[in-house]
Amino acid sequence: MTMDTLQELYLEQLQDIYDAEKQLTKALPKMAKTATNDELKAAFEQHLEQTEEHVSRLERIFEELGEKPKGKKCKAMQGLIEEGKEMMEEDASEEVMDAGLIGAAQKVEHYEIATYGTLRTYAEMLGFDDQADLLQETLDEEKDTDENLTELAVSCVNLEAEEGEDEEDEGEEEEGGKSEEKGQPVKGRK
Ligand code: FE
Ligand code: FE
């Protein structure tokens, strides 16, 4: 594909994030199912609903551009989801798994934040003000999700992960040789 104009680049990036969002609609239910913490489960479920809305906003943009909604394989999202899957296959304690899921989800959010920020700017430069507004709405939701995940990591999940470690240190209730697999408590930083 030749790409001589900003509009062609804009379209190509829209196709990339369209595919990324669709990949995410398939991954989020698995993450919600794997999460133990109720608030985290709810956060993944809520973000699934938002993600479906992100897909339809992109479809509106394609329509305005007179283009068919079409995805172009987003290798970055594929890789991020693949890493998330590897995490879910780990034999981790519930709390550590939740912390790992949060980390994986935040990497996804940061990729989306970067992409939507770029797309919003392209839309502004191209004079597509309505499209810029739609992209900004999605960008804001991705940022809110990211912040919410940080709060969850700090407020409940990682705290529980650390408590799990403490219990072991005190020698209370050793759960069937799982101690070495628990690893370090994860701090909610990014
Ligand atoms: Fe999204
Ligand atoms: Fe997202």
Side-chain angles (χ1 to χ4, degrees), residues 83-101:
E83 286 189 6
K85 267 191 203 150
E86 279 177 20
M87 170 68 214
M88 288 191 270
E89 283 162 15
E90 292 287 342
D91 187 11
S93 71
E94 290 177 347
E95 294 84 358
V96 173
M97 179 63 78
D98 281 356
L101 287 170

Side-chain angles (χ1 to χ4, degrees), residues 109 113 136 138-148:
E109 290 316 304
I113 289 164
Q136 184 67 52
T138 299
L139 177 59
D140 291 342
E141 286 176 7
E142 309 291 18
K143 284 183 181 169
D144 287 347
T145 299
D146 180 51
E147 276 169 31
N148 186 28

Side-chain angles (χ1 to χ4, degrees), residues 21 51 54 112 142:
E21 295 279 25
T51 300
H54 299 170
E112 290 186 300
E142 309 291 18

